[in-house]
Amino acid sequence: MAVKIRLARHGKKGYAFYHIVAADSRAPRDGKFIEKLGTYNPNTNPATIDLNFEQALGWLQKGAQPTDTCRAILSYKGVLYKKHLLGGVAKGAFSEAEAEARFNKWLDAKNGKIEAKTNKLATDAKSAEKARLAAEAKVNEDRAKAIAEKKAAAEAAAKEAEAEAAAENAEEAPAAEEAAEAAPETETPAAE
């Protein structure tokens, strides 16, 4: 029986979630499997991988063949590198302590890269939020300025209309006074 390490799809439509399993190569994709090795969620950034390292390494050493995607996942988690180092120990190229030291050094570097990416994503999200808030504040200032200009223009127009009305009243009042003054003068000479 040929054993494969592959993904079994779970989750809902458009939002896949995978189980990493060791299964017979003849079994259907989401069907019967021998052992569940972990989970893989590509929907997060970076992708969330929960893997039982020792079980996966054990299956690789027994001869299980990973699919392309599982090979990438196992390489990302360091399972393939650990298998490579253990092969070097078996050949006598270096000691097991040396292999463990190399693997730990690689693991520290890998964790540093993952942490740097996570921090970068968090700072990018914060800076994008700040930029969005600054743009929103600028739009609000522009709107407030436009409203203030409209209000000032309306007040100026009202004052101008009031001044015109006052000027017309001022013109009509002296004309009426002149007419009132002129009317008694004309009556007085006619009465005499």
Side-chain angles (χ1 to χ4, degrees):
M1 162 175 94
V3 176
K4 283 209 169 278
I5 297 176
R6 64 179 178 205
L7 298 178
R9 190 182 196 282
H10 293 278
K12 61 184 181 179
K13 183 170 145 182
Y15 198 80
F17 180 85
Y18 298 95
H19 289 184
I20 302 168
V21 296
D24 183 356
S25 61
R26 297 167 293 185
R29 178 191 73 179
D30 300 335
K32 188 176 175 184
F33 59 88
I34 300 168
E35 186 175 15
K36 180 180 171 185
L37 304 176
T39 59
Y40 167 60
N41 184 2
N43 301 310
T44 60
N45 191 6
T48 306
I49 300 169
D50 180 31
L51 182 70
N52 187 327
F53 191 89
E54 296 303 322
Q55 285 179 341
L57 183 62
W59 277 107
L60 283 176
Q61 288 177 331
K62 290 176 192 171
Q65 295 297 313
T67 60
D68 293 339
T69 307
C70 281
R71 181 177 300 278
I73 290 170
L74 294 174
S75 176
Y76 179 82
K77 289 305 253 181
V79 177
L80 293 178
Y81 186 58
K82 181 78 170 190
K83 180 184 179 238
H84 171 73
L85 291 174
L86 292 177
V89 169
K91 290 178 183 175
F94 44 82
S95 68
E96 194 163 334
E98 173 70 23
E100 196 63 35
R102 286 184 185 184
F103 180 73
N104 288 335
K105 181 180 175 186
W106 177 87
L107 195 60
D108 291 341
K110 184 71 169 182
N111 289 337
K113 286 180 185 177
I114 293 169
E115 191 173 320
K117 181 178 180 180
T118 305
N119 291 340
K120 183 181 180 299
L121 289 171
T123 55
D124 287 350
K126 283 183 181 179
S127 63
E129 180 70 16
K130 282 183 182 178
R132 187 185 63 77
L133 289 174
E136 188 176 324
K138 186 176 184 296
V139 167
N140 287 343
E141 284 178 16
D142 292 343
R143 284 182 184 163
K145 191 184 255 185
I147 290 170
E149 287 174 1
K150 246 185 188 179
K151 209 177 210 181
E155 288 176 3
K159 285 182 181 179
E160 192 175 300
E162 192 177 295
E164 285 179 14
E168 283 181 18
N169 288 341
E171 287 176 11
E172 289 178 7
E177 288 175 13
E178 287 175 11
E181 289 175 9
E185 290 176 9
T186 50
E187 286 180 18
T188 1
E192 291 177 12

